[in-house]
Structures are given as structure tokens and as C-alpha cells.
Amino acid sequence: MNLLLAEVAQATQRLADAGVPSPRNDAEELAAFVHGVKRGELHTVKDTDFDARYWEVIARREAREPLQHITGLAYFRYLELQVGLGVFVPRPETESVVGWAIDAVRAMDVVEPLIVDLCTGSGAIALALAQEVPRSRVHAVELSEDALRWTRKNVEGSRVDLRQGNALDAFPDLDGQVDLVITNPPYIPLTEWEYVAPEARDYDPELSLFSGEDGLDLIRGLERTAHRLLRPGGVVVVEHADTQGGQVPWIFTEERGWADAADHPDLNNRPRFATARRATP
Ligand SMILES: C[S@@+](CC[C@H](N)C(=O)[O-])C[C@H]1O[C@@H](n2cnc3c(N)ncnc32)[C@H](O)[C@@H]1O
């Protein structure tokens, strides 16, 4: 075994002892990052090229700084996004939410689908839809100026129309025209603060995590925004916590102008997102 792989084994143990959820993955990613190689090439790093800065980044991860803040990068579907303090790190469970949305837009058979991403954060959802749905016209809104510093870098050169503002009154110019509204808003109940992983609680912005006592304050408001933006037959997709699968579809009721409200699991089979169609009058 070369020196680096031996150090990775030791680092894995340290991260495991610190409660890091995927210690081997993170120890290898950080070794690759520090030595400027791909994860599969760690065995090619010569003993003489071992960089002691590896132990500095391991100490940061041990203190539960997110891996993505240390490397400055987050991977989301086919994207590499810049992230750091001030912006929410996109999560793997959101990838399946976007997967469902892509299938829904394709099934609509619209030539240039009009898509709105509310609460875009790093821009992950909007950029994935722009990349994976040919000829889509994608608009995204974010409230936080700190987050937008990252979003602007990520959307540069893409065709995403990024705006700063409150999602609740965003895009009045698109009222009644949108094919798909998608959102991964803050949804953690304030009462669950103490159970949130240190990486999220200490590094993701508070505005990106919490929304009232039961976590549903913003989603209740966004229901009206989605209804205003969508054309009849248009679809809304809302990510939520795995404890909210019994509540969120009930926000999109027939009385409020919705049809086919349903909830869907993520790849771990946990309730993850609700969908509904704007009823045709
Ligand atoms: C859970 S994060 C999700 C970010 C991104 N959509 C993703 O999936 O990675 C929620 C985002 O909503 C933003 N946000 C919170 N309240 C908002 C509001 N009223 N209008 C617009 N954005 C808001 C936060 O700043 C944060 O970036």
C-alpha cells in the first residue's frame, strides 16, 4: 500500500470517530482534492508527493465542516456547482425530485417548456432543468443576497434567467403561462432544530432550512404562487421533509384549484415530494 492510501485509512477512522456519515467517501474525496487527482487515481500518488495539507482538511471535516465547503464544489446530476458559506449545499435526494420533473415536462410535449424554480439557492434545480430539457425556458428566483453571490457564478453562461426577490410574489410577468413550477424551499420545523446534522445547522443558512413551527409556512404561501403562475394543466413539484408526506399533498386541494395531488418517495423510499396539476376551469 502506498503512503497516501495508508493515510486515507487512518483519516477514515478519524472521520468515523467524529460521526461523519460517509467517512471513507469523504477521506478519499479530500485526498483526491488535496493531491489534484481523481478518486480512482489515489494509488498513483508517489510517497514523496504526499501533501501534509491533507491532515488540515481532515481536521476541518472532523469538526463537521461540509465536504463541499472544503472543496468548494457540489455535484448535482450532471452539474458541478460552486458552493460555500451563504448558500445551501444541494442534496442528492433533490436529484430524484428533478428527475420526476424532467419526465413530467417531457410528457407534456410542449415545444419550449416554460419552467420556474422558486427558492433556487445555488441554482442546482434550474440549471439541471435547463441542461436536461431541450429548448426549455428556465426562470429562477432567490431571496438571499449571500446565496445569490454563488448562484450568479453558477448560472453564468447558462440560459437560466435569475432574479432576486421573494418567491411569494415572483414573476408576475409569467402569470398563467408556466408549464412547470418546481421548488425545494426551506421546510424543517423549528421544533426539530436540535436534530439537524451539524453540517446543515452550522453551515447552511438559516433561511434555507427553517419555515415556522411545522416547517410548512413557506410551502403554504408557495401553493398560491404556483397556482398564479401555472397555466391550466401545468404541474407543481414541491420537495418536503420525509415526515411531511401526509401533509403537503393536502395543501394542494381541489377547492384551491388543483387536481391529481400526490406524494412520491425518494431513492431511499422515504416520502420526499408532492406534485399536483392546476385544474382546468
Ligand atoms: C432548501 S434551500 C434549496 C436551494 C435549492 N433549491 C436546492 O435545492 O439546492 C431553500 C432556498 O430558499 C431560499 N428562500 C427562503 N425563503 C425564500 C423566499 N421567500 N423567496 C425566495 N427564496 C427563498 C433560501 O435562501 C434557500 O436558498
Side-chain angles (χ1 to χ4, degrees), residues 88 90 94 119-121 124-125 142-144 165-167 184-186 207-208 218:
F88 179 85
T94 306
C119 307
T120 197
I125 296 177
E142 168 59 49
L143 182 60
S144 155
N166 192 331
N184 175 19
L207 182 70
S208 71
L218 190 57

Side-chain angles (χ1 to χ4, degrees), residues 269-281:
N269 218 19
R270 295 232 171 93
R272 181 56 59 195
F273 61 103
T275 61
R277 193 164 47 79
R278 191 190 189 293
T280 321

Side-chain angles (χ1 to χ4, degrees), residues 105-106 108-116 129 133-139 159 174 177-180 231:
V105 175
R106 286 193 182 138
M108 285 174 189
D109 203 18
V110 174
V111 182
E112 293 184 344
L114 185 56
I115 296 173
V116 168
L129 286 161
V133 180
R135 304 182 67 180
S136 54
R137 296 167 289 157
V138 183
H139 303 264
R159 60 171 192 281
L174 302 179
Q177 302 170 50
V178 177
D179 297 297
L180 178 95
R231 61 164 170 84

Side-chain angles (χ1 to χ4, degrees), residues 3-239:
L3 176 64
L4 181 56
L5 290 182
E7 307 280 301
V8 166
Q10 232 185 83
T12 302
Q13 191 53 54
R14 267 177 61 174
L15 296 184
D17 292 344
V20 170
S22 42
R24 172 154 294 273
N25 172 77
D26 291 17
E28 289 184 357
E29 285 290 347
L30 289 171
F33 168 67
V34 168
H35 293 89
V37 294
K38 297 209 171 76
R39 232 174 120 185
E41 298 167 347
L42 291 176
H43 62 283
T44 65
V45 176
K46 294 197 203 86
D47 288 0
T48 47
D49 288 340
F50 175 75
D51 190 331
R53 277 177 303 175
Y54 182 50
W55 291 110
E56 290 170 24
V57 296
I58 289 297
R60 287 167 66 186
R61 187 70 191 99
E62 214 173 9
R64 306 297 293 270
E65 185 173 345
L67 174 70
Q68 298 86 346
H69 280 218
I70 300 171
T71 62
L73 289 177
Y75 298 98
F76 186 82
R77 293 184 69 89
Y78 303 105
L79 300 165
E80 195 179 273
L81 299 156
Q82 298 187 51
V83 293
L85 272 181
V87 73
F88 179 85
V89 173
R91 304 294 206 270
E93 52 267 30
T94 306
E95 294 181 323
S96 56
V97 184
V98 172
W100 189 96
I102 289 169
D103 290 345
V105 175
R106 286 193 182 138
M108 285 174 189
D109 203 18
V110 174
V111 182
E112 293 184 344
L114 185 56
I115 296 173
V116 168
D117 174 20
L118 302 170
C119 307
T120 197
S122 64
I125 296 177
L127 284 163
L129 286 161
Q131 189 181 55
E132 296 182 57
V133 180
R135 304 182 67 180
S136 54
R137 296 167 289 157
V138 183
H139 303 264
V141 64
E142 168 59 49
L143 182 60
S144 155
E145 186 49 54
D146 290 339
L148 280 161
R149 278 192 209 105
W150 296 97
T151 332
R152 288 193 191 103
K153 292 189 215 181
N154 289 325
V155 302
E156 205 183 305
S158 80
R159 60 171 192 281
V160 172
D161 163 39
L162 175 67
R163 301 193 204 169
Q164 175 172 29
N166 192 331
L168 293 171
D169 52 26
F171 303 116
D173 47 320
L174 302 179
D175 278 0
Q177 302 170 50
V178 177
D179 297 297
L180 178 95
V181 170
I182 184 164
T183 181
N184 175 19
Y187 52 62
I188 301 176
L190 276 170
T191 49
E192 286 181 19
W193 186 88
E194 61 188 299
Y195 307 112
V196 177
E199 284 88 349
R201 204 182 52 205
D202 300 339
Y203 291 92
D204 283 322
E206 210 174 307
L207 182 70
S208 71
L209 299 178
F210 302 101
S211 191
E213 282 292 295
D214 66 354
L216 297 174
D217 279 8
L218 190 57
I219 292 182
R220 288 193 192 91
L222 293 179
E223 179 268 326
R224 280 297 86 192
T225 310
H227 193 270
R228 166 173 63 76
L229 289 170
L230 288 170
R231 61 164 170 84
V235 168
V236 63
V237 184
V238 184
E239 182 170 328

